[in-house]
Amino acid sequence: QVQLVESGGGLVQAGGSLRLSCAVSGGTFSSLVMGWFRQAPGKEREFVVATSWSGGVINYADSVKGRFTVSGDNAKNTKSLQMNNLKPEDTAVYYCEARYGGTSAMEYNYNYWGQGTQVTVSS
């Protein structure tokens, strides 16, 4: 069973940066597609970015392109989301997600997720 644990959330002023981490265990790592989603109060969960395990295929949501960057440390089985130039509208609980399957339609069909980490951006 794939297990995901997010960390790194916090409170930051607009224009600042945060780096989120996702520790992955219990899976066949090379076969996983990884994603980050977020959910703000009163809103549906929103796709942020998805990547193949190797990082060879990456799909960013338009709202974060040029500001967020996903990366991985395969030796530590972790994935990271570097978030720069944060905006108040980025405030949400951020979730690390995973699924098996191909790299098409990577914004859909995740069935493993972590507990989430809160990101709050003040204006």
Side-chain angles (χ1 to χ4, degrees):
Q1 184 82 358
V2 175
Q3 298 181 53
L4 309 169
V5 180
E6 303 98 330
S7 61
L11 176 64
V12 65
Q13 291 183 319
S17 298
L18 285 172
R19 186 176 181 88
L20 307 183
S21 294
C22 176
V24 186
S25 63
T28 304
F29 304 123
S30 62
S31 300
L32 287 173
V33 177
M34 305 296 302
W36 289 93
F37 289 74
R38 64 190 183 186
Q39 188 166 22
K43 300 181 69 176
E44 297 290 330
R45 189 162 61 174
E46 177 188 15
F47 169 77
V48 176
V49 62
T51 177
S52 60
W53 182 261
S54 68
V57 180
I58 304 175
N59 181 24
Y60 291 94
D62 289 342
S63 60
V64 305
K65 285 180 179 177
R67 299 190 299 121
F68 291 11
T69 304
V70 67
S71 63
D73 185 340
N74 290 344
K76 298 180 179 179
N77 297 327
T78 60
K79 299 295 181 182
S80 297
L81 182 66
Q82 179 67 43
M83 306 185 295
N84 298 325
N85 192 24
L86 284 161
K87 304 175 181 179
E89 51 263 43
D90 295 318
T91 295
V93 177
Y94 283 70
Y95 296 91
C96 181
E97 311 253 2
R99 65 165 173 83
Y100 292 106
T103 54
S104 62
M106 289 194 296
E107 63 268 37
Y108 302 113
N109 299 323
Y110 291 88
N111 57 342
Y112 301 102
W113 60 92
Q115 82 289 347
T117 185
Q118 177 71 49
V119 172
T120 302
V121 184
S122 61
S123 60

